[in-house]
Amino acid sequence: MERILTHTSVYDATVIRFPRTEDPRGNLTFVEQQTHIPFDIQRVYWIYDVPGGKRRGKHAFHTQQECIIALSGSLDVLLDDGHNQKIVTLNRAYTGLYVPPMLWRCMQGFSTNAVAYVLASGPYDETDYIRDYDTYLECKGLA
Ligand code: TYD
């Protein structure tokens, strides 16, 4: 398990397209855990009213899995595994970015009125955070 996590790469983060029912009254999207989201959802949080140029969520998790959805507006998610970087732009309410454990990420480039809605696999746990990039590299055996 430890070996798999330390080898997490940016290519393990995938964009998931959720069901979308188009309707002249307004569109509808839904998700069910283990069907559209590859983990049990234990927590939901959302980030909003982000001033221009500010960044959120600049860290990795030891074990937590997340799915980030731009419910409104757009934002970029910078992914970094110590070898490669990838930027994923989220701007549709019917797609989400699955972020596995042990992957450095940062949410940035929030548009006006952007809402980042995040489904998480566990409760808030500060000890699960890796907030320092050099520590992240050390955890991956890269420093
Ligand atoms: P944090 O995840 O540290 O945000 P960022 O990575 O953008 O700095 O969250 C900021 C604060 O919010 C944190 O100190 C504790 C609180 N918080 C909770 O209490 N529960 C949660 O589910 C989250 C995500 C944060």
Side-chain angles (χ1 to χ4, degrees), residues 47 55-57 68 75-77 105-108 110 116:
I47 298 170
R55 297 175 170 187
R56 295 300 312 248
I68 305 171
L75 65 129
D76 296 326
V77 184
R105 87 300 198 276
C106 177
M107 289 180 254
Q108 57 194 38
F110 286 82

Side-chain angles (χ1 to χ4, degrees), residues 14-27:
T14 51
V15 174
I16 304 171
R17 192 181 173 109
F18 305 129
R20 181 177 185 233
T21 64
E22 289 187 46
D23 191 306
R25 298 171 300 163
N27 300 332

Side-chain angles (χ1 to χ4, degrees), residues 80-97:
D80 185 325
D81 60 21
H83 290 295
N84 296 300
Q85 287 194 346
K86 185 166 90 170
I87 293 179
V88 178
T89 298
L90 297 173
N91 56 11
R92 296 282 183 270
Y94 56 85
T95 63
L97 175 65

Side-chain angles (χ1 to χ4, degrees), residues 5-142:
L5 293 181
T6 56
H7 285 76
T8 301
S9 90
V10 294
Y11 304 107
D12 297 316
T14 51
V15 174
I16 304 171
R17 192 181 173 109
F18 305 129
R20 181 177 185 233
T21 64
E22 289 187 46
D23 191 306
R25 298 171 300 163
N27 300 332
L28 182 151
T29 283
F30 59 92
V31 296
E32 295 174 0
Q33 63 188 22
Q34 300 295 354
T35 303
H36 311 103
I37 303 293
F39 54 82
D40 286 345
I41 301 162
Q42 290 197 24
R43 177 170 56 110
V44 177
Y45 64 91
W46 47 102
I47 298 170
Y48 53 97
D49 291 346
V50 178
K54 296 294 184 187
R55 297 175 170 187
R56 295 300 312 248
K58 193 176 175 186
H59 51 69
F61 291 112
H62 286 287
T63 63
Q64 192 104 206
Q65 305 171 71
E66 291 192 333
C67 184
I68 305 171
I69 304 161
L71 267 195
S72 169
S74 70
L75 65 129
D76 296 326
V77 184
L78 169 70
L79 302 167
D80 185 325
D81 60 21
H83 290 295
N84 296 300
Q85 287 194 346
K86 185 166 90 170
I87 293 179
V88 178
T89 298
L90 297 173
N91 56 11
R92 296 282 183 270
Y94 56 85
T95 63
L97 175 65
Y98 170 70
V99 183
M102 281 304 289
L103 185 59
W104 187 263
R105 87 300 198 276
C106 177
M107 289 180 254
Q108 57 194 38
F110 286 82
S111 69
T112 304
N113 292 331
V115 178
Y117 189 71
V118 185
L119 311 176
S121 63
Y124 174 77
D125 176 7
E126 183 60 37
T127 65
D128 197 45
Y129 281 69
I130 306 173
R131 293 192 180 274
D132 176 68
Y133 185 71
D134 288 339
T135 305
Y136 170 70
L137 294 180
E138 276 174 32
C139 289
K140 292 197 70 169
L142 296 174

